[in-house]
Amino acid sequence: MSSNLYASDYHAPIMVEEVLHWLNVKPGGFYVDGTAGGGGHSAAILDRSAPDGRLVAIDRDPEALSTVRARLAELAGSRLTLVNANYSQAAEILAERGELADGWLVDAGVSSHQLDEPSRGFSFQQPGPLDMRMGPDVPTLAEYLESTSREELARVIKVYGEVRGSWGVAGAILGAFSRGELKSTTDLADLVASKQRGGSRKIHPATLVFQALRIAVNRELEHLEAAVRQIPNVVKPGGRAVFMSFHSLEDRIVKHTFRELADPCTCPRDFPQCACGKEPLVEVLTRQSVVAGDEEVQTNPRARSARLRALTVLPHTRSDV
């Protein structure tokens, strides 16, 4: 890679060589980065597709797009288009352009910048506001807690965080919030820790609760499934989609929805032949999820939980899904 676009001052993009390989990035291609983030993957795609490859970089976070614009816009010129939107809107964005992509990357989950910036409210390492928004299109965590019920919050903590005792934790959070006792992320973390004694010592007791709240506030799993289902309306026949996830709930959605697109037949399994007429939309390229190598994990611990899956769109299957 050339040094002008793919520079060392980026947050290190996870599994960059694996992304470029499975996305099959080539000079002159047209690609979509659904989660521009800090610009690392976008830079790598622009670099590998040079001199005339084009990229649409999407992000729901205006701050992320400002970062990518400052780092790449002048160097990439007309090859780069930035769009402030959710990656689940990719089909709509490309329909307006009147073209499909050779490859589409989605790097799901929270970005390094969002985690590292206390003012965004994603982390409890330092005090931050009850925010957790990936973009301005959703309510803050405080607004979410103001409007949610104990039943719903308990469900979110149990399903999205896989936390035991979710009913008690939900009640404690809403009670403290209503009394004005939760002013910051550290207040919330301390409260959760006091209710989760005896749990795993490998991670902070509040980690999974914060994960669950972040997913709920940003409707992450809903957007992820919607994005996977619209792959044939984003990627041209013969093109590829690469989805990278960071926890089991995300990976399960990607894995199962990939399978549905590859085998959409709704006929009973004991039918001698298909009668529904639904043909495969894609071919899954990764039989197992691809993970980061040991060397990358040692230098970038956040790569440890990354899971990459890839597919190609079959030639005869342009349809709305």
Side-chain angles (χ1 to χ4, degrees):
M1 294 181 183
S2 63
S3 60
N4 58 345
L5 286 177
Y6 187 64
S8 60
D9 61 339
Y10 292 100
H11 283 295
I14 292 175
M15 290 202 292
V16 64
E17 286 300 329
E18 291 87 344
V19 165
L20 294 172
H21 167 74
W22 289 106
L23 206 57
N24 195 28
V25 178
K26 296 179 178 179
F30 170 47
Y31 303 94
V32 176
D33 184 350
T35 42
H41 285 123
S42 290
I45 293 169
L46 283 165
D47 203 43
R48 184 67 61 89
S49 65
D52 53 349
R54 295 172 295 127
L55 176 73
V56 171
I58 303 169
D59 209 290
R60 67 194 298 186
D61 185 350
E63 290 186 16
L65 290 180
S66 295
T67 297
V68 175
R69 182 178 294 107
R71 289 173 167 174
L72 294 179
E74 183 175 349
L75 293 170
S78 61
R79 296 175 56 210
L80 173 65
T81 301
L82 301 175
V83 181
N84 185 200
N86 193 292
Y87 59 72
S88 63
Q89 298 171 279
E92 177 184 344
I93 293 167
L94 292 198
E96 293 176 353
R97 294 173 60 94
E99 62 180 330
L100 297 178
D102 292 296
W104 183 24
L105 169 66
V106 171
D107 178 358
V110 65
S111 73
S112 296
H113 168 74
Q114 290 166 341
L115 281 174
D116 294 340
E117 178 52 59
S119 66
R120 301 300 297 269
F122 288 97
S123 174
F124 46 79
Q125 301 301 320
Q126 300 180 58
L130 300 179
D131 194 327
M132 288 194 181
R133 292 174 299 165
M134 291 181 172
D137 55 328
V138 292
T140 65
L141 173 59
E143 292 168 335
Y144 172 79
L145 294 177
E146 183 72 39
S147 61
T148 198
S149 66
R150 183 175 182 178
E151 290 80 5
E152 173 60 14
L153 184 59
R155 183 194 70 83
V156 162
I157 293 172
K158 179 179 180 179
V159 175
Y160 296 165
E162 300 177 301
V163 173
R164 295 180 179 178
S166 60
W167 180 257
V169 174
I173 290 174
L174 292 181
F177 181 77
S178 66
R179 295 188 299 270
E181 296 171 0
L182 298 184
K183 302 294 186 182
S184 69
T185 53
T186 49
D187 291 339
L188 176 59
D190 290 343
L191 173 67
V192 172
S194 72
K195 301 298 180 181
Q196 293 286 294
R197 299 190 187 282
S200 172
R201 295 183 179 181
K202 294 182 179 180
I203 61 174
H204 190 284
T207 300
L208 296 178
V209 173
F210 269 60
Q211 171 185 291
L213 293 172
R214 189 202 79 218
I215 290 172
V217 165
N218 294 286
R219 298 165 56 196
E220 292 177 42
L221 302 186
E222 175 184 336
H223 289 299
L224 179 60
E225 182 173 355
V228 178
R229 291 192 181 281
Q230 67 183 248
I231 287 172
N233 293 324
V234 175
V235 180
K236 66 178 62 173
R240 295 187 177 188
V242 171
F243 277 62
M244 187 155 40
S245 56
F246 290 84
H247 57 74
S248 60
L249 295 174
E250 290 177 342
D251 186 54
R252 196 175 305 144
I253 287 174
V254 175
K255 177 182 178 180
H256 290 170
T257 313
F258 272 23
R259 285 180 177 175
E260 289 181 28
L261 294 176
D263 183 15
C265 178
T266 57
C267 297
R269 292 302 178 186
D270 58 354
F271 268 32
Q273 63 182 29
C274 176
C276 70
K278 295 184 177 180
E279 298 182 348
L281 301 171
V282 307
E283 178 185 351
V284 178
L285 301 175
T286 49
R287 297 187 62 182
Q288 303 290 333
S289 61
V290 179
V291 299
D294 292 340
E295 183 177 345
E296 179 173 3
V297 170
Q298 289 177 1
T299 58
N300 185 2
R302 287 176 180 168
R304 181 179 294 108
S305 58
R307 298 290 183 272
L308 182 152
R309 296 183 186 273
L311 57 72
T312 184
V313 176
L314 293 178
H316 58 288
T317 57
R318 176 71 173 94
S319 63
D320 293 330
V321 291

